[in-house]
Amino acid sequence: MKYLAPGLSACAAALIVSTPALAQPAPTRAEMQAELEELRGRVRTLEALVEQLVGAQAEVADQAAAANATAAAAQSAATDAQTAAAEASEAVAAQPRITHGAATRTRTEDGWDFRPFGRLMYDFGYVDAPDAIMDPGLGWSNSLRRGRIGAQGAIPGGFEYKFEIDFANNDVEVTDALISYAAGDVEITLGQFNPFQSLEELTSSRFSSFIERAAFTDAFGFQRQVGLGVTYTGDDFRWDGGVFTSNLDDLTSDEANAYGFDTRAAYYPELADGTQLHFGGSFHWRDLQSQAGARYRQRPLVATTDTRFINTGDLPVIEETRYGLEAAVISGRFHAVAEGHWLRASLPGMDDPTFFGGYAEAGVFLTSGDSRGYSGGRFNRTRPARTVDEGGIGAIQFNVRYDYLDLNDAGVLGGQQNLIAASLIWTPIDYARLSLNYGHLEYDDAAIPAGLNTDYSVDVVGIRAEVDF
């Protein structure tokens, strides 16, 4: 009402001004009555105007209060929305992230990681030997070569783990079981794993160019062992070293006290034109102790047969010393690789034989844009430039190999094997392959005679269908 007082004063002044001067002649009663009625009308008009102003002021105040309330509610709603969004973001961040590739992978923000993996490889093989050899392993045969499943991932703090089992041939066997810790360029691994052997052995069977590895890898008894290893990795250099005992399955026996030392170094520069080079070497020493005794033998290219045409038989080996050299090149569609490996077996009271195995291989992709994979000192997955689901035909690779194994030395007559082989590999998608292998083997001093003859030839065909994830 404090705003109405000046207005009323002004109105009163106006009324006074508008009243006729006293100096004028005295109005008649009728004139005074008319003026009074006029004055009353003006007062009524003024009262109506005042009521109008008071109502308008109240409406404005109500609107201002409503606006303030709406603004406060909007601010509160915005704050609630921001809080809800932050809580939702935190809740999403706390949930594991799941990605889908060949297998589902689960990861969390705090460093946990889990990914299952596996492989299935089914083989068919045919071995054609001289008719004089009567052996049940000849002719057609087939087997589940590998049936593996496992999991790997990370643990907060820089740790990683891997566990894998193989259930092929109705037998469950632990392959890898390890935990590792990485600190910069150095990694420490504890458990059962492959003790840093040759390029051929360390390349996964999923990525090999033949369905079986070079003959010396099996003949010399390469296998996973329980141990502690250290790895240093640079830009184009890798060194591995460790101490090992027996395979996990042998640790339950009373003769599980063999031990050894293994080391390998690999240098793998990449040239300016994209050509990948590889040079490497390894050294291995093993004391068999109460596990003394070994035999060195090998199948003819395929593992669907148990027949070994080359075999030293049991030898009283108490110590083994092995060393190997390796070299490879990948240039576009083309690759070539060669390795040599020597094994010196210590026999008490006898001359120590030194056995040798090696191979040379070359391969080329017949499909444009495809190349053999390589990573960290070993061959890796081939990813077709155009898979069949993308309208292409996948990757087609042709390889040839010469493989030599000599188990004759210092009075030991295990035989010599010369293999000339070819393979054709079709990779329709990243995680599936079909392989066709042919091998011609020449044996000298074979462990299985064909009548009276120990020098003869054998022909082998191998087929594999495989999938991994």
Side-chain angles (χ1 to χ4, degrees), residues 150-168:
Q152 64 183 17
I155 302 173
F159 294 91
E160 295 187 353
Y161 65 90
K162 181 180 181 181
F163 182 80
E164 180 185 52
I165 60 173
D166 192 331
F167 52 87

Side-chain angles (χ1 to χ4, degrees), residues 371-400:
S371 181
R372 190 164 189 188
Y374 181 91
S375 176
R378 66 192 72 184
F379 290 114
N380 208 334
R381 185 184 301 276
T382 292
R383 298 187 179 276
R386 292 193 65 196
T387 58
V388 294
D389 57 320
E390 296 173 337
I393 62 171
I396 301 176
Q397 183 185 17
F398 178 72
N399 307 287
V400 292

Side-chain angles (χ1 to χ4, degrees), residues 87-365:
E87 292 175 351
S89 178
E90 291 176 359
V92 170
Q95 294 294 321
R97 292 177 295 164
I98 300 175
T99 57
H100 300 279
T104 300
R105 182 175 185 176
T106 304
R107 288 172 289 178
T108 63
E109 289 295 327
D110 54 2
W112 288 96
D113 185 286
F114 175 83
R115 180 172 67 87
F117 63 89
R119 73 189 75 172
L120 287 173
M121 298 178 175
Y122 204 90
D123 290 359
F124 299 86
Y126 178 79
V127 181
D128 182 24
D131 294 337
I133 300 176
M134 305 299 293
D135 190 291
L138 303 181
W140 283 104
S141 55
N142 64 90
S143 69
L144 177 62
R145 181 65 177 92
R146 293 179 180 89
R148 296 182 182 177
I149 190 164
Q152 64 183 17
I155 302 173
F159 294 91
E160 295 187 353
Y161 65 90
K162 181 180 181 181
F163 182 80
E164 180 185 52
I165 60 173
D166 192 331
F167 52 87
N169 300 318
N170 298 318
D171 185 24
V172 177
E173 177 184 357
V174 176
T175 53
D176 288 315
L178 61 91
I179 186 168
S180 63
Y181 174 75
D185 296 331
V186 177
E187 183 177 32
I188 301 172
T189 304
L190 176 66
Q192 172 157 295
F193 54 99
N194 210 323
F196 319 127
Q197 303 186 89
S198 73
L199 172 62
E200 178 82 341
E201 179 68 17
L202 293 175
T203 295
S204 171
S205 59
R206 298 168 297 164
F207 315 138
S208 59
S209 52
F210 286 80
I211 62 177
E212 294 299 328
R213 295 185 173 94
F216 71 85
T217 62
D218 284 341
F220 295 167
F222 291 2
Q223 65 174 343
R224 291 170 170 84
Q225 297 167 0
V226 176
L228 174 66
V230 178
T231 298
Y232 169 79
T233 305
D235 293 336
D236 52 11
F237 176 79
R238 177 186 179 115
W239 173 83
D240 301 276
V243 291
F244 295 87
T245 179
S246 303
N247 183 273
L248 191 61
D249 288 343
D250 298 329
L251 291 178
T252 58
S253 71
D254 295 333
E255 301 179 346
N257 55 355
Y259 66 93
F261 170 79
D262 297 83
T263 185
R264 175 177 180 258
Y267 173 59
Y268 37 90
E270 183 175 352
L271 304 184
D273 62 355
T275 298
Q276 178 69 62
L277 301 179
H278 171 96
F279 305 97
S282 61
F283 177 82
H284 318 267
W285 174 83
R286 185 168 178 78
D287 188 335
L288 278 65
Q289 295 205 16
S290 61
Q291 289 184 335
R295 61 181 175 182
Y296 308 103
R297 58 183 186 163
Q298 175 61 344
R299 295 180 174 92
L301 182 62
V302 294
T304 56
T305 179
D306 283 331
T307 301
R308 274 90 167 181
F309 296 101
I310 185 170
N311 189 348
T312 65
D314 293 331
L315 298 174
V317 181
I318 60 172
E319 185 178 298
E320 292 178 338
T321 302
R322 294 189 284 109
Y323 49 94
L325 296 174
E326 54 197 57
V329 59
I330 303 173
S331 180
R333 301 186 190 184
F334 173 80
H335 88 274
V337 56
E339 288 194 71
H341 209 91
W342 293 260
L343 183 150
R344 180 176 178 270
S346 295
L347 308 178
M350 303 172 59
D351 292 336
D352 296 338
T354 297
F355 305 127
F356 173 76
Y359 71 96
E361 171 188 309
V364 62
F365 281 89

Side-chain angles (χ1 to χ4, degrees), residues 35-118:
E35 288 180 2
L36 181 59
E37 291 297 330
E38 182 181 356
L39 182 59
R40 288 176 178 171
R42 290 181 180 181
V43 170
R44 286 193 295 269
T45 300
L46 182 59
E47 288 177 348
L49 179 60
V50 169
E51 289 180 2
Q52 234 176 2
L53 290 173
V54 171
Q57 185 181 23
E59 184 177 353
V60 169
D62 291 343
Q63 290 177 350
N68 289 336
T70 302
Q75 180 64 35
S76 177
T79 301
D80 292 343
Q82 290 176 352
T83 302
E87 292 175 351
S89 178
E90 291 176 359
V92 170
Q95 294 294 321
R97 292 177 295 164
I98 300 175
T99 57
H100 300 279
T104 300
R105 182 175 185 176
T106 304
R107 288 172 289 178
T108 63
E109 289 295 327
D110 54 2
W112 288 96
D113 185 286
F114 175 83
R115 180 172 67 87
F117 63 89

